[in-house]
Amino acid sequence: MQYTGRLMRIIAHLDMDAFYASAELVRDPRLKGRPVAVGGRRGIQPLPGQDFPLLGQYQGRGVLTTANYEARKLGLHSAMPTMRAAKLAPQAILLPADFEWYSTLSRRFKEAVLQLTPVMENRGVDEIYLDLTEQTQGDFEKARQLAAQLKQAVKDATGGMTCSIGLSENKLTSKICSDLQKPDGLTLVRPHEFETVVWPLPVGKVNGIGPKAQAKLIELNIRTVGELALAPLPQLQAHFGNSYGLWLYECARGIDRRELSLGGDPKSISRETTFENDLHIRRDREALTAILTRLTDKLASDLERKKLKARTIGLKVRFPDFTSVTRDHTPGHTVSSATEILQAARECLKKVPFDTSASNHPRSRIRLLGVKASHLSHMELADQPDQLPLWEEDAR
DNA sequence: TCTGGGGTCCTAGGACCC
DNA sequence: TCTGGGGTCCTAGGACCC
């Protein structure tokens, strides 16, 4: 076979539009055209005369997970505290998150995609990357046609949900451009078009430049990706460190060599919960113990389901002032049962700097409690509670 | 109007070993 | 006297993403 040179890579980023809210609409078409937000786990009852619960009724400490496009017009967006959203748009519909239903739809759209193209990287429930290089032989026109087919397949598989696709030579650029024509968009950026399309955008549009880095860049008078491209490498490395500085320098030039990351086991599994009201570490001891037990039980069953065990258990505590501390414990043997996890979590708890010197001291109460399992490995047959190794079969 | 829950990756110091 | 360099593990915190 003759080698004719490397193909131009073609990477797609496919992002479902307002996924959770659209998922609710698939189930109940009465929601069509109305502002809908999704947030919280427990639902609230509709007021008499209303077909759905309204945002204005909400009381609690949650945030919105999703707002559909009608709700966004009212100023709502994901991660917005629900109480704030309630002030802003009391008449919008508020639905509780139903993660099982969203997972079902997630599986459906991903399966539909895999029917058309095989190389997929999962990025959570509503996003994927696809490597279309082989299938399209590096031809952007073929890729555009394939992307149109993908959009249709997703729609068919989900009962009408739309997605937006970005197409370019790498993950970074495709991720940026899938966002440019939402909803129901298809945006293709060839390498020579990078500067025209991406340079005018604010640096915050780049996946990997968050609020902190953006604020620091603005101090340097850098607001757009084009302005970032003017910054010399030594300047960026002086302010952001060698590694992140280099990354910023390259991403302003559309350089991103990352391959798709396909599957694999999770690195950590965790469970956490924010309380309705802050709990006092002494006065609410019983309630806290119950919550910690519930969290470790859930974590243990997560590990059991995935047939994993952990070398390290971590505890997370958030105080009323929103500061958090984490403490780790590595017992010296791997753990998987609820009892072992709880024991390790208690070791962590001993190391948390509580302070009850004053009754209203910020570190005398807790807002959130979480438990995490990390350094995971596969359970061996002998680890599994109800399965003796084969050679012990006769002894049963 | 106070800020969910599930993750990944990076940095950096100290312990400990060779 | 006062002091090497490298490797790995553990721990804590923080930025970022969906």
Side-chain angles (χ1 to χ4, degrees):
Chain A
M1 200 169 80
Q2 202 184 356
Y3 184 65
T4 53
R6 236 177 115 98
L7 291 176
M8 162 81 74
R9 284 210 301 163
I10 300 191
I11 306 294
H13 179 255
L14 186 158
D15 195 2
M16 299 297 288
D17 300 322
F19 185 57
Y20 294 179
S22 310
E24 295 297 340
L25 200 137
V26 164
R27 254 197 315 207
D28 194 338
R30 288 180 300 165
L31 294 166
K32 196 176 172 74
R34 302 168 69 178
V36 178
V38 176
R41 282 157 189 278
R42 295 171 313 145
I44 40 180
Q45 290 305 309
L47 294 171
Q50 297 285 340
D51 47 359
F52 293 105
L54 301 180
L55 200 41
Q57 301 168 238
Y58 180 83
Q59 290 288 325
R61 313 177 107 170
V63 299
L64 299 186
T65 356
T66 319
N68 71 354
Y69 290 87
E70 286 80 0
R72 288 181 202 187
K73 284 180 202 153
L74 303 174
L76 308 189
H77 57 82
S78 61
M80 176 183 269
T82 310
M83 285 301 278
R84 181 175 159 205
K87 297 272 185 276
L88 218 56
Q91 296 304 307
I93 294 167
L94 178 66
L95 299 173
D98 179 353
F99 294 107
E100 264 186 55
W101 173 234
Y102 310 147
S103 303
T104 303
L105 285 173
S106 178
R107 273 194 300 277
R108 283 189 200 164
F109 96 75
K110 288 174 187 174
E111 278 163 16
V113 166
L114 285 173
Q115 298 291 314
L116 292 172
T117 189
V119 188
M120 178 169 94
E121 172 182 337
N122 267 312
R123 299 295 300 183
V125 278
D126 66 338
E127 262 182 52
I128 50 177
Y129 286 101
L130 302 164
D131 190 333
L132 310 180
T133 309
E134 287 286 316
Q135 203 171 348
T136 60
Q137 288 296 294
D139 180 334
F140 269 107
E141 266 325 301
K142 280 186 190 155
R144 189 200 295 277
Q145 290 165 22
L146 180 52
Q149 287 181 300
L150 287 166
K151 282 165 63 80
Q152 188 58 48
V154 166
K155 205 177 263 186
D156 294 343
T158 53
M161 294 174 81
T162 61
C163 63
S164 297
I165 297 183
L167 282 175
S168 81
E169 60 174 334
N170 59 44
K171 290 169 76 170
L172 183 90
T173 313
S174 295
K175 168 77 180 170
I176 292 170
C177 64
S178 69
D179 204 44
L180 293 180
Q181 301 188 61
K182 268 184 164 295
D184 206 9
L186 172 48
T187 309
L188 189 159
V189 175
R190 290 184 173 81
H192 70 273
E193 297 167 318
F194 179 82
E195 297 180 10
T196 319
V197 177
V198 179
W199 276 8
L201 301 174
V203 287
K205 290 280 176 189
V206 176
N207 194 255
I209 302 182
K212 301 282 177 179
Q214 193 176 10
K216 236 169 130 178
L217 284 166
I218 286 175
E219 276 179 35
L220 298 172
N221 230 355
I222 296 172
R223 286 173 180 76
T224 65
V225 180
E227 286 165 357
L228 182 59
L230 292 175
L233 178 58
Q235 187 200 7
L236 292 175
Q237 289 184 315
H239 285 93
F240 295 94
N242 284 344
S243 153
Y244 192 64
L246 176 60
W247 180 82
L248 285 171
Y249 182 84
E250 292 192 326
C251 89
R253 289 158 180 75
I255 299 170
D256 174 18
R257 302 172 199 87
R258 289 172 303 165
E259 297 286 338
L260 269 58
S261 112
L262 312 169
D265 286 316
K267 304 265 186 284
S268 67
I269 300 179
S270 65
R271 290 282 186 160
E272 64 180 56
T273 185
T274 296
F275 316 142
E276 296 274 325
N277 300 294
D278 299 339
L279 296 177
H280 191 276
I281 60 156
R282 279 210 313 266
R283 293 201 287 277
D284 299 310
R285 198 174 197 104
E286 279 182 36
L288 284 166
T289 304
I291 289 161
L292 184 61
T293 308
R294 196 149 40 80
L295 289 170
T296 54
D297 284 350
K298 282 186 184 165
L299 190 55
S301 65
D302 294 340
L303 287 171
E304 161 67 21
R305 198 169 343 106
K306 300 197 154 98
K307 297 281 175 261
L308 293 168
K309 53 187 184 174
R311 197 165 78 221
T312 304
I313 297 299
L315 187 80
K316 174 165 152 189
V317 173
R318 180 169 286 154
F319 298 103
D321 63 2
F322 216 72
T323 58
S324 327
V325 300
T326 60
R327 290 295 181 267
D328 277 2
H329 180 64
T330 302
H333 58 272
T334 57
V335 297
S336 59
S337 73
T339 319
E340 294 169 313
I341 296 171
L342 185 58
Q343 206 179 342
R346 286 192 191 283
E347 289 302 316
C348 299
L349 204 49
K350 289 181 191 165
K351 298 190 273 185
V352 178
F354 294 116
D355 189 339
T356 50
S357 58
S359 71
N360 60 344
H361 193 283
R363 296 205 157 181
S364 67
R365 290 168 184 276
I366 302 180
R367 175 190 176 95
L368 167 151
L369 202 55
V371 193
K372 172 158 89 170
S374 58
H375 294 119
L376 304 177
S377 56
H378 279 279
M379 246 184 218
E380 292 138 33
L381 197 57
D383 293 327
Q384 294 176 23
D386 279 315
Q387 289 175 24
L388 288 171
L390 285 175
W391 51 269
E392 283 185 28
E393 198 97 348
D394 288 341
R396 277 218 201 207

